[in-house]
Each structure stands twice: as structure tokens, then as C-alpha cells.
DNA sequence: CTGATTTCTTGTCATTTGTCAAGTAATTAT
DNA sequence: ATAATTACTTGACAAATGACAAGAAATCAG
């Protein structure tokens, strides 16, 4: 329950002084959630931002047929928030829930705003977070529009094998943009080779 | 060739004083490109950021088979840059080219950095740009993984009909994640109804 | 431990989309 | 104006994926 991993995360993203990081993370407070608990509920305005220290999470929306579509899977350590809801103070269109037991560090928009306007390195860090997340999303979009499901599955398996130990195939299938029976068939075919 | 539309764009995104906008856009300079010209080339480090004042652009990558996959279509007025290349000063993985004749306002990373760290409203504006662009990308990803091609086509036609007057169906098809023959068939089917 | 629930797999068949090849229409370059 | 190129459409067939239903395996709640 110390801030070592939170502080470390700042250093991992770009060079920043120890004292500056400590000033930034001063306002963060710790909490835990069991598995399958809601972190950010759909239609609520998000006032906190979260650092996922330990565990697995996902975001999802409900489509026209009322089915859950997993939009993202979050693997600690990383920041989790709904950008649109948090920064524009609008109701979230997605829900965010824990998949495993998770631990978090959270802080408020007020603190983020203070740091953003008063600590230059935090500004750079924030922007870098956006750039990195935008880039990840872009890569997924390219994969979704130019690769077949089997390729997307193979890449996920290669790049994030630990996800398969912690997240159900149903959620993974939805994240890959296919049904769980299709994923099951793909896994069988791969196994044959 | 005055900065009216550039300045106006800042005001349209969030409340900001006229004088502040003028200070921000002071360093921007104007240029034009004919159709089918490269704005940002793949594998180059982007040192400028661009405001697309007039015209249509696209970004694309080459897939394993050497085919162009359109990753985004840009409709003026909007900012165009490769976030990863510009802010991390890395070689761009995508190419950006004009589709029609275009006019631009550009400024350098140095100017952006100066404004980012010295003009609070510019920080807010920058972050909002990221939030909005992230959100658009996220919506496209959700559409790609949960809607069929016909639905994606119908939505594009409804929300951005002008694109169909200015961008070839081949590019639109690629942007929608399908082949041009599939798009052609979808259009025929729609026509029947 | 036991029944209930959820996850995962599998089979059959339908639908969507891709591939390839050919043809027509439109645009561009000289 | 003419030839070359590019854009768009179409058809036949193949491949990928979805829908639905059923059963096996794993997990969960009491």
C-alpha cells in the first residue's frame, strides 16, 4: 500500500525527477475492488481518475441488442479513465468494471487540473499518456479493419499472453470483435497446426 | 489567406479570448497543396503541425501485401498531425496525403511547446483536441467491431455525406474496412430498397 | 458437498465479405 | 482529341464469421 508502483509508472514513461513525481502523487489515495465490481458506471460523470496498480479491468458498451461489447482491456500498471467523461465532465457512454480483484490509486479532476497547470513535467506526462493511448487505439483500429480474426487473436496471444490467464474467452472474443464461438473455432484450428 | 477560419476553430472548441487566440496563431504560416500531394511521408519525423483550412485529406498505411489501408479521412476545418511522430519525434508509420486541393496553416513543435507551457488556455485546447480525437477513434473502433459493413456505410453517408462528393469510393471502402467491390455491392443493395 | 450458473466447445446452416476477373464509365495526360 | 489510366460495377465462387442450439467443463453460492 505504498506508492512505489504509482511513482515508478511516471518514471517509466519519461525522465522526471523523483521530487516532482512525489509532489504529483501526493494527492492520490488508495483503494481496492473485488472482481466484477463497477469502477465507472455508464451515464455517470467521472470526477476521479484511476491508476490501476494491480489486476485486470475492462470497459464495455451495450449495443442495440443489449449485448455487452468489450471496448478495452486494462492490464496493470496503467491509468484508467473515461477521457470524454473525465475531461469534459459528460456522462460516460461506457462502463468500466474489474475483471479480477484490483487495487487503485485515485485522484480528483481538481488535483489533475492543478498539477496540469502548475507542474510542467506533469503536462508533458499527461500529453504523453494521450499520445500513447491514441496510438494503441489506432493500432487496434488498423488491425480490426485490415486483419482477419485469426491474425488478431495470434497477435494478442503473442503480445499479451497473460490476458488469457486472467480474462474469460467471452470477453477476449468481444474485445477481438468476434463471437465466443468463432474464437473457440479459431483456437481449435490453431491447435491443429 | 487571413487567419479567420483558424482563429474561429479555437473559439468553436471552447470559450477563449480573442487576444489569446491571436497570440497562439501568430506563429502559424499559410501554404497550399494540390490534390494527391504528400503532407507527411511515412518514415519521416514530423516537425510541424497542420491546420487543414480547406479540402480533404487522408492518412494510410501499407499492409503486408503492399496495399494502402486508409486509416483516417480529414475534413476541413481540423488539425492534422501524426501524434506519435510529432510529440515523440519518431518516424511516422503512416503517410498523409491530400485528396483534393488543400490549404493549411502550419506551426512548429517549438511553437507548440512554447504555447503549451506558457498559455493555459492553449493547454486546455490541446487536451480537448486529444479528447475529441480519441473519442472519434474509439467510436470508429466500436463501429468496426460491432457493426456490419452496411451499417457503417449508412452511418457515414448520414453523418458525412459531403465525403461522398469529394473522396473516391475506393478510399471510402478502405476507410470502412472493406474492399471496393463489397462497397459497390452494398450500395447496389441499398439502392434497391 | 451440491445444485445452479457460467464458460467453453461443437455442429449445422445462413450470412457477410473477400477474391478474382471482366467490363463499362470517368478522368487524366499528352 | 486520343490514348492511357483510374474508378466503379458486376458475376461467380470461396472463405470467414455469425446465429442458434446443445452438451461438457468449470466455477460459484449456499
Amino acid at each position: 500500500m505504498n506508492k512505489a508502483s504509482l511513482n515508478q509508472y511516471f518514471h517509466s514513461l519519461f525522465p522526471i525527477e523523483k521530487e516532482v513525481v512525489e509532489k504529483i502523487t501526493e494527492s492520490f489515495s488508495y483503494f481496492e475492488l473485488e472482481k466484477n465490481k463497477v469502477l465507472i458506471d455508464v451515464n455517470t460523470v467521472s470526477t476521479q481518475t484511476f491508476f490501476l496498480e494491480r489486476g485486470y479491468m475492462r470497459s464495455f458498451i451495450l449495443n442495440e441488442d443489449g449485448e455487452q461489447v468489450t471496448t478495452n482491456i486494462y492490464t496493470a500498471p496503467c491509468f484508467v479513465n473515461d477521457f470524454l467523461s473525465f475531461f469534459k465532465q459528460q456522462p460516460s457512454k461506457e462502463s468500466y468494471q474489474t475483471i479480477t480483484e484490483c487495487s487503485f490509486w485515485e485522484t480528483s479532476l481538481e488535483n489533475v487540473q492543478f498539477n496540469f497547470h502548475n507542474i510542467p513535467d506533469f503536462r508533458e506526462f499527461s500529453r504523453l499518456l494521450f499520445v500513447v493511448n491514441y496510438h494503441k487505439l489506432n493500432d487496434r483500429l488498423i488491425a480490426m479493419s485490415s486483419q482477419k480474426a485469426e491474425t488478431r487473436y495470434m497477435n494478442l496471444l503473442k503480445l499479451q499472453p497473460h490476458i488469457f490467464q486472467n480474462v474469460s474467452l467471452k470477453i477476449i472474443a468481444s474485445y477481438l470483435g468476434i463471437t465466443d464461438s468463432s474464437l473457440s473455432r479459431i483456437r481449435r484450428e490453431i491447435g491443429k497446426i
Side-chain angles (χ1 to χ4, degrees), chain A:
Chain A
M1 202 154 119
N2 68 63
K3 291 180 183 171
S5 66
L6 171 57
N7 288 355
Q8 175 52 33
Y9 188 75
F10 282 85
H11 294 293
S12 75
L13 215 60
F14 88 121
I16 181 171
E17 283 186 25
K18 196 167 170 291
E19 291 70 28
V20 178
V21 171
E22 280 166 7
K23 203 161 70 179
I24 292 168
T25 62
E26 203 175 4
S27 67
F28 282 67
S29 55
Y30 181 84
F31 70 99
E32 297 178 353
L33 281 182
E34 306 166 44
K35 67 188 294 184
N36 295 322
K37 296 296 171 192
V38 173
L39 180 71
I40 303 170
D41 209 356
V42 65
N43 292 329
T44 61
V45 176
S46 180
T47 59
Q48 302 291 108
T49 192
F50 307 96
F51 174 72
L52 177 61
E53 178 185 86
R54 181 178 51 87
Y56 290 84
M57 296 199 57
R58 68 162 179 147
S59 51
F60 66 91
I61 55 157
L62 295 178
N63 67 9
E64 326 79 58
D65 304 332
E67 294 157 337
Q68 297 183 350
V69 178
T70 296
T71 50
N72 215 342
I73 294 176
Y74 299 91
T75 304
C78 68
F79 273 91
V80 176
N81 71 32
D82 188 285
F83 289 140
L84 203 64
S85 178
F86 185 66
F87 288 113
K88 293 191 78 174
Q89 291 290 286
Q90 294 180 356
S92 172
K93 290 178 184 165
E94 303 185 30
S95 289
Y96 296 70
Q97 72 172 195
T98 59
I99 292 174
T100 63
E101 195 191 346
C102 289
S103 59
F104 300 92
W105 292 94
E106 67 172 343
T107 193
S108 67
L109 178 58
E110 288 75 39
N111 288 323
V112 169
Q113 284 300 74
F114 180 85
N115 290 336
F116 187 68
H117 287 295
N118 292 285
I119 305 179
D121 276 347
F122 181 75
R123 295 201 266 279
E124 291 287 341
F125 172 81
S126 303
R127 196 172 55 186
L128 213 49
L129 261 191
F130 267 112
V131 168
V132 169
N133 280 304
Y134 186 90
H135 180 241
K136 282 183 186 170
L137 206 56
N138 203 37
D139 277 355
R140 282 182 58 206
L141 185 60
I142 292 169
M144 203 65 86
S145 49
S146 68
Q147 295 173 351
K148 61 181 190 173
E150 183 180 314
T151 308
R152 300 198 299 273
Y153 166 75
M154 295 287 273
N155 284 336
L156 186 63
L157 190 59
K158 190 170 67 183
L159 298 174
Q160 313 222 61
H162 51 275
I163 284 185
F164 291 84
Q165 268 76 64
N166 292 280
V167 180
S168 73
L169 292 177
K170 193 191 178 108
I171 289 176
I172 291 175
S174 169
Y175 175 70
L176 290 171
I178 54 177
T179 60
D180 45 351
S181 28
S182 280
L183 178 56
S184 193
R185 243 176 282 128
I186 286 170
R187 285 162 60 84
R188 181 178 49 183
E189 290 307 311
I190 303 288
K192 275 185 188 165
I193 302 164

